[in-house]
Amino acid sequence: MKTIKTAFFDAKPYDREAFDAVKRPFGVELKYFSGHLSADTVHVAAGTEAICIFVNDVVTREVADALHAQGVRLIALRCAGYNNVDLKAVYQRIHVVRVPAYSPYAVAEHAAALMLALNRKTHKAYFRTRDGNFSINGLLGFDLNGKTAGVVGTGKIGRVMTGILRGFGMRVLAFDPFPDAAFAQAGGCVYTDLPTLYREADVITLHCPLTPDNRRMINAESIAQMKKGVTIINTGRGKLIDTRALIHGLKSGKVGAAGLDVYEEETDYFFEDFSSTVIDDDVLARLLTFPNVLITSHQAFFTREAMANIAQTTLGNIQTYFTQDQLPNEICYRCSDDACQRKITGKCF
Ligand code: NAI
């Protein structure tokens, strides 16, 4: 069987482990590179037919031109989102495939972990007891049972999160432009509009994609509508929140806590070790000073099961593209819509 040479950018040890464990049957030869894909590094993909990239590898027009000139025919994203690829620049030259879903449980469970830690201040208690401080002053939380959660986006992850929140005995209000009445009935959530959700929720958790319509949906105006002391959890995308408005809300006490797995300007920092460096992003640095803010570095997806699914699906996408007349999990260039059935044939034009 012919092997498909693939340049693998931004390779971390855990990526190599997950992909090496399952790659044998796929006929894909992976050339690992630790650097990000950029105009400066694209040349390392010379001689390969496909590249495999992650959220912070950016395909600009310049990069797309270079990839095309080098003979690369496929960009395999090993993630769900594709806002880092200039789809117009690759159109009719390079196909783009992705992993639409790898584990909604991983992400929802992480969102729940952030909510629980912030409420019961586990992140603070951990350091106290390790330091011989067994005082519980300042660690007061509240019962989730009987409180109201607001779930924004009831897709794969939002639905799992709804089940978890219901398990805590919470009332769940949900907002989604495409409400699913059957899910609401079976899952026990109540669909409502955003102003009602903002007004009534004690905990708000974001599980919608980033679109031109909802960029910075959590802003000064929406925060003003929320309950005093509201907890905001974001495992969706950083740009859903106006971070400066969030900081203002935290300073005033309007926002009681924030659990953030994603951040507006995360590209510069997340997934890398800056522990010996000065952080020159003053907004991120300010966020990190709050005792009631818990930031994780886009790790909500990071479970064994999700990594195995990502590796299997990505390698399967590459193999299928080069060996069969199919375009698995391809992004529709025209409408960029997951639900577009025509994306399978690339004929949504
Ligand atoms: P999905 O496509 O299954 O569900 C998204 C839902 O959001 C759909 O029901 C859609 O109708 C709804 N929606 C669209 N626009 C909306 C809006 N303006 N307001 C409210 N709802 C809206 O996606 P899935 O798998 O549940 O993922 C959700 C998001 O989670 C992804 O788009 C991604 O941004 C994020 N994510 C984060 C990860 C992490 O590691 N932190 C990992 C995977 C996904």
Side-chain angles (χ1 to χ4, degrees):
M1 182 170 62
K2 176 183 172 297
T3 56
I4 305 151
K5 288 198 175 67
T6 302
F8 193 109
F9 286 88
D10 192 14
K12 298 281 191 289
Y14 46 83
D15 292 313
R16 290 173 181 236
E17 200 179 307
F19 277 75
D20 286 347
V22 298
K23 72 181 178 190
R24 186 179 287 270
F26 292 96
V28 177
E29 181 189 330
L30 297 171
K31 290 176 72 180
Y32 291 114
F33 299 103
S34 56
H36 286 158
L37 173 65
S38 69
D40 294 333
T41 61
V42 65
H43 63 274
V44 304
T48 63
E49 295 153 283
I51 63 163
C52 179
I53 61 171
F54 196 49
V55 292
N56 291 332
D57 297 305
V58 184
V59 180
T60 57
R61 181 164 288 279
E62 190 182 359
V63 170
D65 289 346
L67 289 171
H68 183 59
Q70 287 170 197
V72 169
R73 291 163 56 200
L74 183 71
I75 297 171
L77 290 154
R78 53 180 192 277
C79 53
Y82 44 85
N83 45 305
N84 48 328
V85 178
D86 183 338
L87 291 178
K88 285 194 181 121
V90 297
Y91 174 55
Q92 284 191 333
R93 301 200 292 176
I94 309 171
H95 287 283
V96 185
V97 289
R98 66 183 186 124
V99 185
Y102 23 92
S103 171
Y105 305 102
V107 183
E109 287 168 14
H110 190 78
L114 291 174
M115 174 183 76
L116 288 172
L118 284 163
N119 176 19
R120 306 307 298 270
K121 298 159 182 78
T122 328
H123 55 304
K124 289 169 68 74
Y126 171 79
F127 285 111
R128 277 198 194 180
T129 53
R130 285 177 74 89
D131 196 31
N133 177 356
F134 298 98
S135 154
I136 61 169
N137 282 334
L139 302 185
L140 189 69
F142 59 87
D143 284 8
L144 291 169
N145 181 53
K147 298 294 185 305
T148 299
V151 174
V152 180
T154 53
K156 293 178 283 296
I157 297 168
R159 285 167 197 244
V160 175
M161 188 61 178
T162 298
I164 292 172
L165 298 168
R166 291 288 297 150
F168 284 124
M170 298 185 84
R171 167 184 173 238
V172 177
L173 295 179
F175 171 75
D176 195 300
F178 303 98
D180 179 342
F183 169 71
Q185 209 168 12
C189 74
V190 175
Y191 281 105
T192 185
D193 51 27
L194 277 177
T196 308
L197 186 150
Y198 291 149
R199 198 173 55 244
E200 297 190 16
D202 300 283
V203 176
I204 295 174
T205 183
L206 306 179
H207 301 292
C208 52
L210 177 69
T211 68
D213 298 337
N214 64 11
R215 192 169 179 274
R216 294 189 162 177
M217 63 180 287
I218 305 299
N219 53 34
E221 201 185 318
S222 52
I223 289 172
Q225 299 172 52
M226 294 176 193
K227 271 191 175 177
K228 185 168 167 48
V230 63
T231 295
I232 298 174
I233 305 293
N234 188 10
T235 59
R237 281 291 177 266
K239 287 185 169 53
L240 293 170
I241 296 183
D242 176 345
T243 315
R244 287 175 196 277
L246 178 69
I247 288 172
H248 188 72
L250 284 157
K251 283 166 76 177
S252 72
K254 178 80 173 179
V255 178
L260 309 173
D261 187 53
V262 285
Y263 163 62
E264 276 190 278
E265 304 302 332
E266 70 180 53
T267 320
D268 293 340
Y269 287 96
F270 281 23
F271 303 115
E272 307 300 335
D273 181 0
F274 285 91
S275 55
S276 307
T277 321
V278 172
I279 292 181
D280 62 5
D281 177 334
D282 291 348
V283 176
L284 177 60
R286 181 66 177 102
L287 269 182
L288 289 166
T289 66
F290 288 100
N292 48 351
V293 171
L294 191 43
I295 296 181
T296 52
S297 185
H298 207 137
Q299 69 169 83
F301 74 97
F302 197 43
T303 63
R304 272 191 288 279
E305 292 78 3
M307 288 302 289
N309 287 337
I310 287 169
Q312 294 270 2
T313 306
T314 304
L315 292 165
N317 285 344
I318 298 171
Q319 182 194 42
T320 311
Y321 176 76
F322 283 98
T323 58
Q324 297 169 32
D325 192 20
Q326 281 182 38
L327 302 175
N329 296 323
E330 192 183 30
I331 293 158
C332 176
Y333 301 102
R334 184 176 166 90
C335 66
S336 300
D337 183 354
D338 276 357
C340 174
Q341 292 306 306
R342 284 168 294 183
K343 71 185 174 195
I344 304 298
T345 59
K347 285 181 186 149
C348 174
F349 310 117

